[in-house]
Amino acid sequence: MGHSVRVLLRPSPLTPLLPEKVPVEVVICAPSDERGIQSALKGVSHVIHLASAEHSESPEIFLSQEKAFAEILVQAALRSRVERFIYLSHLGADRLSAFPALQAKGWVEKIILQSEVPYTIVRSALVFGAGDHFTLPVATAMRKSPSVFFLPGEGRVSLQPLWIGDLVMALSLLLDDPRAENQVFSIGGPEYLTFYEVCRSIRDVLGLRRVFISLSPGLLRFFSRKYSTRRQSMFLPLYLLDYLAADRITSLDTLPRFLGIMPERFTHRLHYLKAAG
């Protein structure tokens, strides 16, 4: 879209999956390095805050890291006089939530709202696509299970899966849209699906035969915590069980009505799962 992009990455032994044949400037900086972050924002007009520690094992560390980094980044954006600070949050974000991931997102939202930085907060439904933290853990657990797959409760929680391509397009369009300044948007895909329907679609794409068995969320959390040290487990990770504790849906028409995006249906974009085995 003609923008120059600078990517702020935290130090890691992993090689970042940067886009090929696209000029992207990269800055490597620890989230706690205030001077480094301030330097990274020099000459930057817009910030899109995507960083999260929600996949860390310790909820306490996760919450403190999210809050500390947000405070540093927001203050740096204020000093740099950025035109817009865009934050990717979750549906259900709430400082009073019982679940660490949603609680942390709520705190970050408050930090942004109480600052003077021009903002746009995007509360997103679960995002799916290559390398995601939604369908891939489900597919992994399903592959590891011998013949059954355990659903929290009866898998009746309602979701609104959003394809990564539609999310990226939405964030791109919101960059320069004056209507989005100092607004909070809730976005999701074009359909409501139960978690059971999501799992059934993933099972069919993988060509697996699995019987779905209902298990209490508390018992699933126990097994997930017990086997969390394993790289691949037949039980869903804790952060995903947290998200599945309640319905995560919003209006179906936000993307097409406000941004002119017709979002992709869930079953039309699951081909990447076949190559992720």
Side-chain angles (χ1 to χ4, degrees):
M1 299 179 71
H3 295 288
S4 298
V5 178
R6 180 179 300 162
V7 180
L8 178 64
L9 298 177
R10 69 188 90 194
S12 170
L14 301 176
T15 301
L17 296 175
L18 296 173
E20 297 180 0
K21 299 180 180 179
V22 178
V24 175
E25 185 180 353
V26 176
V27 177
I28 298 177
C29 178
S32 58
D33 184 353
E34 296 185 34
R35 288 187 177 181
I37 291 173
Q38 188 68 64
S39 177
L41 263 61
K42 184 177 181 180
V44 169
S45 61
H46 295 71
V47 171
I48 303 179
H49 179 19
L50 306 171
S52 174
E54 67 187 73
H55 311 300
S56 60
E57 294 181 7
S58 169
E60 293 78 14
I61 294 177
F62 160 60
L63 180 58
S64 63
Q65 286 180 343
E66 289 272 304
K67 293 170 64 177
F69 179 55
E71 289 172 349
I72 293 172
L73 190 59
V74 166
Q75 290 305 311
L78 277 169
R79 288 191 291 268
S80 298
R81 298 184 178 181
V82 301
E83 297 175 24
R84 187 85 60 78
F85 189 101
I86 299 178
Y87 176 56
L88 183 61
S89 187
H90 285 326
L91 292 180
D94 188 340
R95 289 181 295 119
L96 301 179
S97 173
F99 306 109
L102 300 177
Q103 186 182 133
K105 296 299 181 185
W107 273 107
V108 174
E109 286 187 9
K110 182 182 179 182
I111 291 170
I112 295 169
L113 292 171
Q114 289 185 337
S115 74
E116 296 180 358
V117 66
Y119 67 85
T120 299
I121 294 174
V122 180
R123 292 176 179 165
S124 171
L126 277 171
V127 177
F128 69 97
D132 70 16
H133 292 280
F134 170 32
T135 62
L136 287 181
V138 173
T140 296
M142 208 171 284
R143 285 189 175 104
K144 287 294 179 180
S145 64
S147 58
V148 300
F149 183 76
F150 297 108
L151 295 172
E154 297 181 355
R156 291 183 178 178
V157 63
S158 293
L159 304 174
Q160 196 178 345
L162 178 65
W163 181 52
I164 181 64
D166 293 326
L167 172 61
V168 171
M169 180 56 68
L171 294 175
S172 300
L173 293 174
L174 287 170
L175 274 176
D176 300 314
D177 193 329
R179 299 174 299 169
E181 184 169 326
N182 296 336
Q183 297 295 318
V184 179
F185 293 95
S186 295
I187 63 174
E191 56 195 336
Y192 299 142
L193 299 172
T194 64
F195 185 57
Y196 166 75
E197 291 172 323
V198 166
C199 292
R200 188 178 61 190
S201 296
I202 293 174
R203 178 194 64 184
D204 293 346
V205 167
L206 297 176
L208 299 175
R209 290 187 177 183
R210 295 291 183 270
V211 175
F212 295 122
I213 295 181
S214 175
L215 206 61
S216 73
L219 196 55
L220 263 181
R221 289 180 63 83
F222 169 79
F223 286 124
S224 178
R225 187 177 291 107
K226 182 176 181 180
Y227 295 104
S228 63
T229 55
R230 296 187 180 184
R231 187 173 181 85
Q232 294 183 332
S233 170
M234 63 181 289
F235 299 101
L236 297 174
L238 282 172
Y239 70 83
L240 191 51
L241 290 175
D242 286 351
Y243 201 89
L244 295 173
D247 292 345
R248 305 295 176 200
I249 57 176
T250 186
S251 172
L252 291 171
D253 69 345
T254 303
L255 287 179
R257 177 171 50 85
F258 191 82
L259 296 175
I261 298 173
M262 297 302 295
E264 292 277 358
R265 295 175 67 90
F266 183 65
T267 54
H268 292 177
R269 288 285 182 172
L270 293 177
H271 55 277
Y272 60 90
L273 290 175
K274 296 180 180 179

